[in-house]
Amino acid sequence: MTTDLVDLIGQLEHEHVEVRAALARVGELPAGADLAVLTATLDEVAAVLVAGLDQHSAAEDTVLFPALGEGLGAVAETFAAEHVDIRAWRDQLYQAATISERLAAGAELRGLLHAHMEREENMLFPSARAVLGAGG
Ligand SMILES: [Fe+2]
Ligand SMILES: [Fe+2]
């Protein structure tokens, strides 16, 4: 069980690398890109930013955080709440009616998700490894 969780943390860290690459693709769109260009880019990164991100945050919410229990206290609730916001901005990025709404959602998503992943990597995952006795 503990070994599985330590492996899961490693997998989550690897997925962060993929998410950063996908966010960079969205962030590097040329100024004045139209909806067709944006949609094509979003399609290319959908495996990471839609299904992948949903699975990723679900694994954190339903497997990692509950397994750590009291070890992380209220910190896990903060991360879980951020997952809700992250998915909402991601949905806006993919579904909003206008390009300006989508680009604004993309900017919000990038800012929130980068900060979120950084805190997971610098604080949450090391604490989780310590709780699991796997070192920090
Ligand atoms: Fe997360
Ligand atoms: Fe994560």
Side-chain angles (χ1 to χ4, degrees):
M1 179 63 173
T2 297
T3 306
D4 289 347
L5 289 169
V6 172
D7 288 348
L8 173 63
I9 294 169
Q11 182 190 325
L12 293 168
E13 287 174 330
H14 174 72
E15 289 170 1
H16 283 188
V17 175
E18 296 177 333
V19 169
R20 282 194 177 91
L23 290 176
R25 293 285 310 279
V26 177
E28 287 162 2
L29 285 172
D34 63 11
L35 194 54
V37 171
L38 174 64
T39 303
T41 303
L42 291 178
D43 285 349
E44 287 173 19
V45 297
V48 173
L49 282 190
V50 183
L53 195 60
D54 287 348
Q55 282 174 14
H56 181 98
S57 57
E60 291 174 345
D61 289 340
T62 66
V63 181
L64 182 62
F65 299 164
L68 298 170
E70 297 302 306
L72 291 180
V75 170
E77 291 169 27
T78 302
F79 282 94
E82 287 179 0
H83 290 161
V84 176
D85 291 341
I86 286 166
R87 286 194 298 267
W89 285 119
R90 186 276 322 275
D91 289 346
Q92 273 282 102
L93 171 64
Y94 272 82
Q95 296 165 13
T98 67
I99 179 111
S100 59
E101 287 173 306
R102 286 181 180 225
L103 292 176
E108 292 283 348
L109 178 67
R110 286 201 309 281
L112 186 55
L113 200 40
H114 279 303
H116 178 88
M117 292 190 294
E118 211 161 280
R119 274 182 284 112
E120 287 185 339
E121 291 162 11
N122 295 335
M123 184 182 76
L124 179 67
F125 294 163
S127 298
R129 286 193 171 102
V131 168
L132 297 169

